[in-house]
Amino acid sequence: MGSGARRRRVTIVDVASHAEVSTTAVSKVLRNAYGVSPAMRERVKAAIDELGYRPQAAARAMRGRTFTIGVLLPHIRNPFFADILDGFQEQVRKADYQAIMIQGGENTQAEGRAINALVDRQVDGILMVVPLSSRTGLEEIAKDVPTVVLGRHERSSVFDSVFDDDELGAELAVEHLIALGHRRIAHIGQKDNSRGRPVDLLHAIRAETYRRVMRDHGLGEEIDVVATSYTEEGGYMGARELLSRPARPTAIFAGADLAALGAMAAAHEAGLSVPGDLSIAGYDNTRMAALPNIALTTVEQDGVLMGRTSGRLLLERVEGRTSSVRFSVTPSLVTRRSTAAWGGV
């Protein structure tokens, strides 16, 4: 046989013969089905590794499963998404699933095309991270493909929800700044381009909580919200606008760490020190927030736990669970050097 001849593909029959089990047993292991003993599972997996067997995705799709999970992200710039993905991958990899990631974009049309691309590839389930679609639109997808939605607070009978207690998190941040003596506290939020209800959207909840806490402390006249985006550019533009006020704020609560970093850049450009002239707090507790040269006070919402929980719930959906689950993470405040007591006027 010439050196250019193609090597015969290893089949499920080869694996069964090598492991000295039936092809049905191999199939059950591949599908991660119930009723397979640990010893049988290890035996089959050993044969798979030794032979280098790779199931054909098309063939598995015909049998009803592709062992792929779709992950819809709005974009890939936010480092907090990396924490979510770490936890998610850790969970689904244990069940021999592979994640396929795709960006949804900045509008519902682009997001719809991305979701359709995942559905066309016959993924076994979809994790949607802060999607823009309406609840009705999400439910239409979830009726056909097992779905978990992360970052939205909806109640649905057909998809699971994993989210942070955004009201508590925002309250912790604003109360912290007030306790430090700040009165002119501003908020950098996000423009609403979602079709979800405001009461279910994390950025709307954080902004409304900021307003409520300010009013509760008799600071209603000091409320100042700039809606840009949860990005460095958005935080930079928002802070520039806030710092141009006749009475500039002494503290800014940004709805995401990325926006807080942009606000820091704007403060530096304006010749202000953080926290001497301006205290800044963020949300997410991304790894960058802990860097010594940043030392950002922020709200921890445990992205790894959210990702891991999303993976577990999605696998349960794939295996047939139909009852709906809502999982809420309890946030905490991590104080660092970007906030300090205010003694000025």
Side-chain angles (χ1 to χ4, degrees), residues 182 248 250 272-280 337-344:
H182 294 277
R248 65 171 177 80
T250 65
L272 302 176
S273 69
V274 177
D277 299 313
L278 179 70
S279 284
I280 298 177
R337 295 196 310 273
S338 70
T339 55
W342 177 252

Side-chain angles (χ1 to χ4, degrees), residues 117-322:
L118 292 174
V119 173
D120 290 345
R121 282 160 178 75
Q122 297 181 296
V123 293
D124 296 326
I126 301 177
L127 169 63
M128 300 190 187
V129 180
V130 287
L132 301 174
S133 302
S134 66
R135 185 180 69 176
T136 301
L138 297 176
E139 289 182 331
E140 286 300 313
I141 299 298
K143 288 175 183 176
D144 295 325
V145 183
T147 299
V148 172
V149 176
L150 189 151
R152 300 243 308 234
H153 292 239
E154 277 102 344
R155 293 183 179 275
S156 173
S157 61
V158 293
F159 62 77
D160 297 335
S161 300
V162 175
F163 52 90
D164 171 61
D165 187 340
D166 295 293
E167 184 174 359
L168 174 59
E171 184 175 294
L172 290 171
V174 182
E175 290 280 5
H176 167 70
L177 294 171
I178 292 173
L180 290 173
H182 294 277
R183 295 297 177 265
R184 294 198 303 275
I185 303 169
H187 176 58
I188 297 176
Q190 178 162 283
K191 289 182 180 178
D192 190 0
N193 57 350
S194 167
R195 291 185 179 177
R197 301 185 308 163
V199 294
D200 296 321
L201 305 176
L202 64 87
H203 61 272
I205 294 171
R206 293 173 190 176
E208 183 52 40
T209 300
Y210 155 79
R211 294 185 179 97
R212 175 182 61 76
V213 175
M214 292 287 282
R215 289 192 296 264
D216 289 347
H217 285 269
L219 301 174
E221 293 184 358
E222 303 293 347
I223 292 174
D224 194 354
V225 178
V226 174
T228 55
S229 64
Y230 282 172
T231 63
E232 287 187 68
E233 181 182 9
Y236 172 78
M237 298 302 295
R240 283 194 61 180
E241 181 176 337
L242 292 169
L243 296 176
S244 69
R245 307 280 200 240
R248 65 171 177 80
T250 65
I252 292 176
F253 164 46
D257 283 359
L258 271 185
L261 295 178
M264 284 182 163
H268 177 75
E269 183 179 83
L272 302 176
S273 69
V274 177
D277 299 313
L278 179 70
S279 284
I280 298 177
Y283 207 113
D284 289 336
N285 195 26
T286 55
R287 292 170 185 171
M288 288 192 299
L291 294 175
N293 61 319
I294 296 176
L296 177 68
T297 292
T298 182
V299 177
E300 163 68 60
Q301 58 174 330
D302 202 338
V304 173
L305 174 61
M306 296 176 80
R308 188 183 300 130
T309 302
S310 298
R312 175 176 60 80
L313 294 178
L314 195 48
L315 290 175
E316 290 176 2
R317 281 272 182 187
V318 171
E319 289 298 326
R321 175 175 55 79
T322 56

Side-chain angles (χ1 to χ4, degrees), residues 13-29:
V13 175
D14 297 324
V15 174
S17 176
H18 192 78
E20 298 182 342
V21 298
S22 67
T23 55
T24 300
V26 176
S27 178
K28 283 185 176 181
V29 171

